[in-house]
Amino acid sequence: MQAELIDIRNHLVQHAPFDEMPEAMLDKVVASIEIAYFRAGATILEFGQRNTSLFYIRSGAVEIYRRSGELYNRITEGEMFGQFGLLMGKSVRFPAKAIEDCLVYRVPDQIFQHLWENDENFADFVEIEDRSRLRSALSRREKSNELMTSKVTRLIARAPVSAPTTVRLQEAARIMTEQGVSALLLMDEDGDRPELRGIITDRDLRTRAVTEALPSETPVSEIMSDSLITLSSDAPIFEAMLTMLHNNVHHLPIFHRDEPRGIIGLSDIIRYESQSSLFVVSNIYRQQSVRGLKAISKDVKDSFVRMVNEGANSQMIGSAMAGIGRSFSQRLLELGEEKLGPPPVPYCLLALGSMARDEQMIVTDQDNAMVIDDAFDPARHDAYFRELAAFLSDGLAACGYTYCTGGIMATNSKWRQPLAKWKDYLDLWIREPRAETLLHSNIFFDLDGIHGELAFGETLKSLVAEKASKSQRFLAMMARNALNRTPPLGFFRDFVMEQDGEQKNIINLKRRGTAPLSDLIRIHALACGSKAQNSFARLNAIIESKMLPEGAAENLRDALEFIAIVRIRHQALALEAGRKPDNNVRPEALSPFERRNLKDAFQILSNGQKFLRFRYTAPAGRELR
């Protein structure tokens, strides 16, 4: 092959879709190419003109326009244009103009049509736009993961065993022993069909019946769990895993058309799920000291790496890491209460930030707070809660969850307050937003009760959802604040590098990607009155509210997933190499596939921020301070 053709070939294989093209097809493309040159300002394609070439930019930059003259896209080296006209009667659909001196490769229509008919990857690439391409890439990834596609029914070994709620403890234990099951559904007749009232497990018998020496004739209704968490039979296994992690339950009744189909246990998923995040959780609750918890904390990194290597998505990994973090907090508080005695008044530990959103990564610090019953008397009670908070914080630090440098921890007396004070905090932050309180809102409006009187957390969620949605000024200030962190894209859709200490020419995927996405999703969720905390759940609420243009929320979901998974993979590779994981990636270290789709994802974020600026404005006469 001539040197010039080798040079052309070497450039094409660095960019999609030629990077995955079969060798023989690629040779045909290279042999057919014509080279063209356009000076800056030259019109390359006019709307409606006949076009018989696919254009590939070797160097320079091109602006693509809609037929109305509105700018549609700016593209540069390694990108293509002209494909839509070739697919639609060879008439130009999107005019193109050189904005720099451009060297362009022209692929004849005959070769284009051959590729389109015979190379599925090429056809997918040229038929869909950037955002659809990103969604297609994510869809292929999800379909390759068995945990996401396999249904929970795969884990059901037998029909559920049930009994009426009037059955006595001794009889319930006998049924479970004879049937060889660890959980019993409790059903009562309700008209023509039995109604599920509760569940009792072998653990309930040990901890609630035997330990408290209840008489054998005690009705099981006195110790059963009646706040049931169930799943539909069409739910994927990963949803069962996340449900157990989030709610700290070991058994899940599975229903099909309102009928109990079976029960799956934690052990069923542990046997199936080789990532073993649930195994880590179950091991946490067996530890009897901080030293024991510290010893198993290394398993968290191993679990994280395994999940990444086995193709889990960011929602699975984020929820698993948050579930593990919650479990460490819960077990530490149990150990703390054993050491200090029972709490003098009820309280609730709030998880904040990424743990509350179920989006935690391996690089994380502590963000928590305590909500205490309004019977709280500082003089009599605060010494206990101060010592309990210190036990929790020091224990989490020992397990790898570093202290929050901003002091967002229950050890800070400001964040260890009675429920009434928390209501005052949240009400004031919404009613009178300022720079400091907007920062608090970004942190504390992602909250979830994870231990103790969980109703306190739900009360605060309801207050935020109700009041924030009614305050146009608060939402406008939150929106303006969210625009401070922009995606790292330049004028020509190239990456804008940043410096971070000794690291040069990097992109911080949290600061410039997942964090601003979470910020703008949070604002839309507050505006529609959603109580959801997880960003993906918030997007579902936003879609239902129809407050965004059609397809916009789905695009945000795709962008969040892709940026998050690149960040996750970067951290896993660091752990495997024995390096300290961080959020800083070098674009040259990414694959062409990752670079291309990151640009698409960052463009979606940029468009989302533009809409945010337009959507939320301060009321007339009210200055933003």
Side-chain angles (χ1 to χ4, degrees):
M1 184 177 287
Q2 299 175 7
E4 184 180 20
L5 297 183
I6 292 174
D7 179 61
I8 292 173
R9 193 181 204 281
N10 289 341
H11 197 276
L12 289 176
V13 296
Q14 296 178 51
H15 302 280
F18 304 103
D19 54 347
E20 298 181 8
M21 186 170 287
E23 296 284 331
M25 284 190 178
L26 186 60
D27 288 342
K28 285 188 177 182
V29 174
V30 173
S32 73
I33 277 177
E34 297 177 2
I35 299 175
Y37 178 77
F38 298 91
R39 290 192 177 277
T43 296
I44 302 174
L45 293 174
E46 293 183 350
F47 179 78
Q49 81 174 67
R50 181 173 173 78
N51 173 44
T52 57
S53 298
L54 173 71
F55 292 79
Y56 172 95
I57 304 174
R58 170 62 190 258
S59 63
V62 173
E63 285 186 338
I64 309 297
Y65 295 89
R66 300 185 189 278
R67 62 187 299 175
S68 63
E70 177 189 0
L71 180 64
Y72 173 68
N73 202 357
R74 291 189 182 95
I75 58 177
T76 185
E77 182 180 351
E79 297 186 272
M80 301 185 301
F81 61 97
Q83 64 267 36
F84 294 113
L86 296 178
L87 291 169
M88 301 179 69
K90 300 180 178 59
S91 176
V92 172
R93 313 299 297 174
F94 293 90
K97 178 181 179 182
I99 52 175
E100 290 181 355
D101 290 348
C102 293
L103 184 65
V104 174
Y105 295 156
R106 299 179 60 163
V107 179
D109 175 56
Q110 182 180 0
I111 298 297
F112 173 86
Q113 297 297 337
H114 175 77
L115 297 177
W116 182 72
E117 292 171 0
N118 295 281
D119 185 346
E120 185 176 352
N121 180 62
F122 180 86
D124 286 345
F125 190 90
V126 299
E127 284 177 349
I128 56 182
E129 298 185 56
D130 293 346
R131 295 165 214 162
S132 300
R133 187 158 60 239
L134 176 60
R135 185 162 304 158
S136 177
L138 292 171
S139 177
R140 288 196 301 270
R141 193 174 191 278
E142 289 185 359
K143 288 177 181 177
S144 68
N145 186 279
E146 195 172 355
L147 272 177
M148 298 189 65
T149 55
S150 297
K151 304 302 182 185
V152 290
T153 49
R154 184 168 182 173
L155 303 183
I156 297 175
R158 58 172 295 168
V161 179
S162 63
T165 57
T166 54
V167 74
R168 309 298 177 177
L169 288 177
Q170 184 176 22
E171 178 64 10
R174 185 191 64 77
I175 293 172
M176 292 170 67
T177 301
E178 288 182 355
Q179 295 290 330
V181 295
S182 58
L184 185 67
L185 295 184
L186 300 171
M187 318 277 289
D188 280 341
E189 294 296 329
D190 184 11
D192 296 334
R193 59 190 303 173
E195 186 76 18
L196 180 62
R197 301 297 187 188
I199 187 172
I200 185 172
T201 68
D202 51 4
R203 187 182 182 189
D204 295 329
L205 291 174
R206 292 194 306 272
T207 60
R208 301 180 188 178
V210 177
T211 303
E212 298 180 17
L214 295 179
S216 61
E217 293 302 305
T218 303
V220 308
S221 58
E222 292 192 13
I223 68 165
M224 73 179 185
S225 300
D226 55 7
S227 298
L228 286 175
I229 298 169
T230 65
L231 278 183
S232 169
S233 60
D234 61 357
I237 291 175
F238 95 92
E239 186 175 340
M241 182 187 78
L242 301 188
T243 300
M244 287 186 175
L245 284 167
H246 185 85
N247 297 283
N248 188 28
V249 295
H250 291 187
H251 294 84
L252 280 176
I254 305 300
F255 276 69
H256 178 68
R257 296 179 181 175
D258 299 326
E259 294 287 342
R261 177 81 175 270
I263 302 174
I264 61 172
L266 178 140
S267 59
D268 297 317
I269 297 184
I270 288 176
R271 282 193 295 271
Y272 185 86
E273 186 252 324
S274 60
Q275 291 96 337
S276 69
S277 49
L278 279 173
F279 177 77
V280 176
V281 169
S282 64
N283 206 10
I284 287 171
Y285 288 104
R286 289 197 293 268
Q287 303 308 308
Q288 300 302 314
S289 66
V290 175
R291 179 180 296 180
L293 290 171
K294 180 180 179 181
I296 66 170
S297 61
K298 63 180 178 59
D299 295 340
V300 179
K301 293 179 180 178
D302 294 339
S303 176
F304 177 81
V305 171
R306 278 195 296 270
M307 292 188 76
V308 175
N309 289 339
E310 296 190 8
N313 67 10
S314 76
Q315 192 172 359
M316 293 171 65
I317 295 170
S319 294
M321 292 299 105
I324 290 172
R326 290 165 188 261
S327 299
F328 273 116
S329 298
Q330 290 161 349
R331 185 57 185 147
L332 282 165
L333 288 172
E334 290 173 354
L335 293 173
E337 291 174 16
E338 290 175 11
K339 176 183 176 182
L340 302 174
V345 293
Y347 77 100
C348 173
L349 181 75
L350 294 181
L352 306 171
S354 61
M355 183 183 289
R357 296 196 310 271
D358 281 335
E359 296 166 24
Q360 199 158 48
M361 298 293 106
I362 202 68
V363 180
T364 189
D365 61 0
Q366 301 178 35
D367 286 313
N368 55 57
M370 274 187 185
V371 184
I372 309 173
D373 190 90
D374 286 335
F376 174 70
D377 179 355
R380 291 188 297 141
H381 303 146
D382 194 48
Y384 175 92
F385 289 109
R386 182 172 61 247
E387 193 169 350
L388 182 63
F391 183 88
L392 168 68
S393 187
D394 293 343
L396 287 173
C399 295
Y401 297 86
T402 58
Y403 298 108
C404 176
T405 56
I408 308 298
M409 298 177 290
T411 49
N412 184 337
S413 60
K414 186 175 183 180
W415 312 128
R416 191 178 65 248
Q417 294 290 334
L419 179 61
K421 183 68 173 177
W422 278 104
K423 290 179 179 179
D424 290 342
Y425 279 163
L426 303 182
D427 179 71
L428 178 65
W429 297 347
I430 294 171
R431 192 164 29 87
E432 299 181 15
R434 289 179 170 80
E436 181 184 9
T437 61
L438 287 171
L439 178 61
H440 292 334
S441 297
N442 275 333
I443 298 170
F444 288 90
F445 285 11
D446 296 342
L447 66 92
D448 198 30
I450 63 172
H451 182 80
E453 197 68 31
L454 303 185
F456 291 169
E458 294 304 310
T459 297
L460 297 181
K461 286 183 192 177
S462 297
L463 185 152
V464 170
E466 178 186 357
K467 292 184 177 291
S469 63
K470 297 176 181 177
S471 176
Q472 185 181 350
R473 182 168 181 268
F474 171 74
L475 293 171
M477 290 195 71
M478 285 283 284
R480 189 177 74 171
N481 197 52
L483 300 177
N484 291 332
R485 295 188 285 196
T486 56
L489 279 186
F491 188 73
F492 300 120
R493 277 173 50 97
D494 53 339
F495 291 121
V496 175
M497 307 301 181
E498 52 189 324
Q499 319 300 318
D500 193 340
E502 296 181 358
Q503 297 198 58
K504 311 295 183 185
N505 298 324
I506 54 90
I507 297 173
N508 187 301
L509 289 177
K510 177 181 179 182
R511 185 167 59 237
R512 304 295 296 276
T514 56
L517 270 167
S518 297
D519 288 346
L520 72 87
I521 292 168
R522 179 187 306 109
I523 293 164
H524 291 316
L526 290 173
C528 69
S530 171
K531 291 172 59 177
Q533 304 298 300
N534 175 263
S535 294
F536 295 99
R538 283 172 166 169
L539 283 167
N540 289 336
I542 293 165
I543 290 171
E544 290 181 9
S545 74
K546 301 186 185 302
M547 66 186 303
L548 297 187
E550 185 176 355
E554 290 86 351
N555 290 337
L556 291 172
R557 181 170 56 207
D558 296 338
L560 178 61
E561 172 60 32
F562 193 81
I563 297 172
I565 208 66
V566 173
R567 177 186 170 204
I568 286 167
R569 285 169 54 84
H570 169 73
Q571 294 180 358
L573 288 171
L575 288 171
E576 289 182 313
R579 301 191 307 271
K580 183 178 179 180
D582 58 28
N583 297 306
N584 300 325
V585 301
R586 298 179 184 277
E588 66 269 20
L590 301 173
S591 69
F593 171 86
E594 289 174 320
R595 287 196 298 270
R596 181 179 72 248
N597 285 292
L598 267 182
K599 288 181 180 180
D600 293 345
F602 286 138
Q603 187 62 55
I604 289 170
L605 169 57
S606 178
N607 294 341
Q609 289 186 330
K610 292 174 185 175
F611 182 81
L612 200 69
R613 184 183 293 110
F614 159 78
R615 176 67 173 75
Y616 301 102
T617 57
R622 300 295 301 275
E623 292 293 326
L624 300 184
R625 291 175 289 171

